[in-house]
Amino acid sequence: MSNVVVLDNGGGLIKAGHGGDRDPEVTIPNCLYRPLSSKKFLHPSPSNSEDLTSAALRRPIDRGYLINTDLQRDIWAHLFSSLLHVAPSSSSLLLTEPLFTLPSIQRATDELVFEDFNFKSLFVADSPSLVHLYEASRRPDGLVSKAQCSLVVDCGFSFTHAAPVFQNFTVNYAVKRIDLGGKALTNYLKELVSYRAINVMDETFIIDDVKEKLCFVSLDVSRDLQIARKRGKDNQLRCTYVLPDGVTYTKGFVKDPDAAQRYLTLDDGSLPQPSETEKDMVQIDDTEERKDRKRIDLTKNEFDLTNERFLVPEMIFQPADLGMNEAGLAECIVRAVNSCHPYLHSVLYESIILTGGSTLFPRFAERLQMELRPLVPDDYQVKITTQEDPILGVWRGGSLLASSPDFEAMCVTKAEYEELGSARCRRRFFH
């Protein structure tokens, strides 16, 4: 077994394992939680068997950056001793860090690694370069490998980056960021459901599950909004999510999984216009629906979703619709490419790699292709590749790097850190 610990320390999930392995040994939420039945904060277990209904959360990472080193120390100590069973003093650490991390946070991270855990040596990498490395090694004859150049779009928990990578180094001056990630999408879905159906503002894990199982990216928003207004069986977007009751089941679930997949049968044709009789019927239905709303049953343990299913992922493509003064993902990619040398433009557009949990929404790549094509010059091809596992892609790149023969020579040792300090050591990683 390798004595290199690979740690992808994300804002949402920690992926940890040994260098050279294909998959991480442990994937757990990067937080402590306190369920209603407990008075103290607990560590999440990898088996994911706990009842997390209304659990209070404490996260060490906020908006992508480490803000609570004491909490992170507690989580890492549990991870290394109880889950990975490694001795830090005889191991090296490959750690991922967000782009543009402040020097004060880098210093705190180095103290954590060398002074609190006594790791033998440390290598710090950023996500885009590891994703590029992994994709280049998977397809030795592909464009990414031959040109040594790609554009990594990382839609993570805290924010979304469009980062050009050239010869395994992230081109920092061309990186563009949208302050939108999985956490913001979950919070938006919480607000929509709480306003329309049942108060779920404290149910972070449950609404995460709703988002992952039911949300999708719309290829025609105006058409889908029309469908979402229909009643009964005509509404192919309506589906029901059942909340846990704490007795029969402790996990929420989709009531009818087949109904949740009905949106896939929608063709791209335009909707037929309703006749006058149908319009009258809709008006009658609307008045009945208003009466139903007045006598809504607050004790019910389920809620319906219609347009929320595609309006939540829509934030990534149209943040301005929600009052955010930011560009959408397609424009963000074009700006990142235009910040690079013109010789690289055609290669970057042909080697876009999607990674991060928020790219797992169905039809994400198709929608991005639709949005990008009008913005890109006609003589450039646009080719988008989604990683086989967007959540583990960064960790696999780190595992590959940790198993290379010259990895130890690239690391900063504990002796160098003690002699030179954090700032001097960081220069080795081009940070």
Side-chain angles (χ1 to χ4, degrees), residues 193 197 210-211 213-216 228 230 232 235-242 253-263 300 302-310:
V193 173
V210 175
K211 179 186 73 176
K213 287 179 179 169
L214 294 179
C215 287
F216 66 93
K230 292 185 174 182
N235 187 343
Q236 289 118 311
L237 302 178
R238 186 187 301 280
C239 60
T240 305
Y241 188 86
V242 181
F253 60 91
V254 179
K255 195 171 189 178
D256 183 355
D258 293 335
Q261 299 300 316
R262 274 189 307 182
Y263 71 91
K300 69 176 183 176
E302 59 188 42
F303 58 84
D304 286 347
L305 290 179
T306 51
N307 61 11
E308 299 94 338
R309 295 181 65 190
F310 59 88

Side-chain angles (χ1 to χ4, degrees), residues 30 46 51 110 121 134 160 165 175 182 185 194 220 236 252 271 296 304 311 320 322 358 372 376 403 418-419:
N30 192 2
D51 178 10
D110 293 347
S121 57
Y134 180 65
T160 298
V165 180
V175 174
L185 301 186
S194 298
D220 186 344
Q236 289 118 311
L271 288 167
I296 196 159
D304 286 347
L311 287 180
L322 293 151
S358 298
L372 260 181
V376 175
S403 61
E418 287 169 348
E419 183 186 342

Side-chain angles (χ1 to χ4, degrees), residues 14-246:
I14 290 183
K15 284 75 71 179
H18 293 91
D21 293 354
R22 172 166 167 75
D23 287 329
E25 260 180 68
V26 179
T27 303
I28 55 170
N30 192 2
C31 65
L32 296 182
Y33 76 100
R34 190 185 68 216
L36 292 174
S37 57
S38 172
K39 289 188 177 179
K40 63 178 184 177
F41 280 88
L42 309 172
H43 292 278
S45 72
S47 62
N48 196 23
S49 58
E50 309 100 336
D51 178 10
L52 298 172
T53 312
S54 300
L57 294 181
R58 288 177 65 207
R59 297 187 189 273
I61 291 177
D62 186 43
R63 303 186 192 191
Y65 297 112
L66 180 64
I67 56 162
N68 189 335
T69 48
D70 294 335
L71 184 56
Q72 190 69 81
R73 184 189 301 114
D74 191 5
I75 293 169
W76 281 5
H78 173 73
L79 174 71
F80 297 141
S81 62
S82 305
L83 302 176
L84 282 181
H85 308 292
V86 294
S89 55
S90 58
S91 306
S92 300
L93 179 67
L94 187 152
L95 179 67
T96 62
E97 201 173 62
L99 294 160
F100 313 124
T101 301
L102 297 169
S104 57
I105 298 175
Q106 292 178 344
R107 205 159 46 244
T109 305
D110 293 347
E111 283 176 15
L112 209 54
V113 170
F114 286 123
E115 295 177 23
D116 291 326
F117 289 102
N118 291 312
F119 271 97
K120 188 173 67 175
S121 57
L122 168 71
F123 184 83
V124 178
D126 54 56
S127 305
S129 59
L130 295 181
V131 169
H132 170 87
L133 177 69
Y134 180 65
E135 288 299 312
S137 69
R138 273 188 71 217
R139 300 188 182 88
D141 299 325
L143 182 65
V144 173
S145 181
K146 286 180 176 175
Q148 280 297 300
C149 181
S150 66
L151 182 81
V152 177
V153 178
D154 184 356
C155 296
F157 179 76
S158 304
F159 35 48
T160 298
H161 282 111
V165 180
F166 184 65
Q167 294 186 346
N168 271 10
F169 290 103
T170 303
V171 185
N172 278 353
Y173 61 81
V175 174
K176 303 296 175 204
R177 183 173 100 188
I178 308 172
D179 289 321
L180 258 180
K183 185 180 180 182
L185 301 186
T186 301
N187 289 343
Y188 182 46
L189 183 55
K190 273 189 206 172
E191 287 177 17
L192 289 176
V193 173
S194 298
Y195 178 70
R196 296 175 182 183
I198 189 168
N199 183 14
V200 289
M201 291 308 287
D202 296 331
E203 309 291 357
T204 303
F205 285 110
I206 291 173
I207 297 301
D208 262 338
D209 188 53
V210 175
K211 179 186 73 176
E212 289 160 17
K213 287 179 179 169
L214 294 179
C215 287
F216 66 93
V217 173
S218 170
L219 299 181
D220 186 344
V221 179
S222 56
R223 179 203 66 184
D224 288 348
L225 280 169
Q226 274 186 275
I227 293 170
R229 293 181 63 187
K230 292 185 174 182
R231 293 177 59 77
K233 290 180 181 177
D234 290 338
N235 187 343
Q236 289 118 311
L237 302 178
R238 186 187 301 280
C239 60
T240 305
Y241 188 86
V242 181
L243 294 163
D245 61 3

Side-chain angles (χ1 to χ4, degrees), residues 159-427:
F159 35 48
T160 298
H161 282 111
V165 180
F166 184 65
Q167 294 186 346
N168 271 10
F169 290 103
T170 303
V171 185
N172 278 353
Y173 61 81
V175 174
K176 303 296 175 204
R177 183 173 100 188
I178 308 172
D179 289 321
L180 258 180
K183 185 180 180 182
L185 301 186
T186 301
N187 289 343
Y188 182 46
L189 183 55
K190 273 189 206 172
E191 287 177 17
L192 289 176
V193 173
S194 298
Y195 178 70
R196 296 175 182 183
I198 189 168
N199 183 14
V200 289
M201 291 308 287
D202 296 331
E203 309 291 357
T204 303
F205 285 110
I206 291 173
I207 297 301
D208 262 338
D209 188 53
V210 175
K211 179 186 73 176
E212 289 160 17
K213 287 179 179 169
L214 294 179
C215 287
F216 66 93
V217 173
S218 170
L219 299 181
D220 186 344
V221 179
S222 56
R223 179 203 66 184
D224 288 348
L225 280 169
Q226 274 186 275
I227 293 170
R229 293 181 63 187
K230 292 185 174 182
R231 293 177 59 77
K233 290 180 181 177
D234 290 338
N235 187 343
Q236 289 118 311
L237 302 178
R238 186 187 301 280
C239 60
T240 305
Y241 188 86
V242 181
L243 294 163
D245 61 3
V247 181
T248 321
Y249 31 80
T250 57
K251 293 271 187 291
F253 60 91
V254 179
K255 195 171 189 178
D256 183 355
D258 293 335
Q261 299 300 316
R262 274 189 307 182
Y263 71 91
L264 294 169
T265 62
L266 296 173
D267 59 354
D268 291 328
S270 58
L271 288 167
Q273 292 300 313
S275 65
E276 289 299 317
T277 321
E278 284 174 338
K279 282 180 183 174
D280 293 340
M281 290 294 289
V282 168
Q283 284 177 350
I284 293 165
D285 285 347
D286 281 350
T287 54
E288 285 175 5
E289 190 175 5
R290 285 195 199 104
K291 287 175 186 173
D292 286 346
R293 275 184 197 159
K294 286 176 185 172
R295 54 171 188 267
I296 196 159
D297 181 11
L298 294 174
T299 60
K300 69 176 183 176
N301 222 29
E302 59 188 42
F303 58 84
D304 286 347
L305 290 179
T306 51
N307 61 11
E308 299 94 338
R309 295 181 65 190
F310 59 88
L311 287 180
V312 169
E314 188 67 18
M315 282 179 78
I316 297 172
F317 298 95
Q318 306 287 347
D321 288 356
L322 293 151
M324 294 187 70
N325 188 20
E326 300 200 15
L329 184 56
E331 191 178 339
C332 182
I333 289 170
V334 171
R335 289 184 184 189
V337 172
N338 288 343
S339 301
C340 296
H341 195 283
Y343 288 173
L344 296 177
H345 289 191
S346 63
V347 184
L348 289 171
Y349 282 126
E350 272 190 69
S351 53
I352 297 172
I353 302 168
L354 299 182
T355 188
S358 298
T359 62
L360 284 168
F361 290 117
R363 298 176 168 179
F364 189 95
E366 291 173 62
R367 173 66 184 276
L368 185 57
Q369 179 93 21
M370 279 173 54
E371 299 247 323
L372 260 181
R373 190 60 268 183
L375 302 176
V376 175
D378 291 342
D379 46 344
Y380 293 156
Q381 276 188 305
V382 176
K383 189 177 177 192
I384 299 170
T385 310
T386 305
Q387 285 203 292
E388 53 181 349
D389 190 333
I391 292 175
L392 302 183
V394 174
W395 189 91
R396 287 174 177 167
S399 177
L400 193 68
L401 181 61
S403 61
S404 66
D406 51 352
F407 174 72
E408 289 295 340
M410 296 154 61
C411 293
V412 165
T413 63
K414 190 168 190 292
E416 287 173 324
Y417 168 76
E418 287 169 348
E419 183 186 342
L420 302 170
S422 176
R424 284 285 298 278
C425 290
R426 284 283 174 157
R427 291 183 194 174

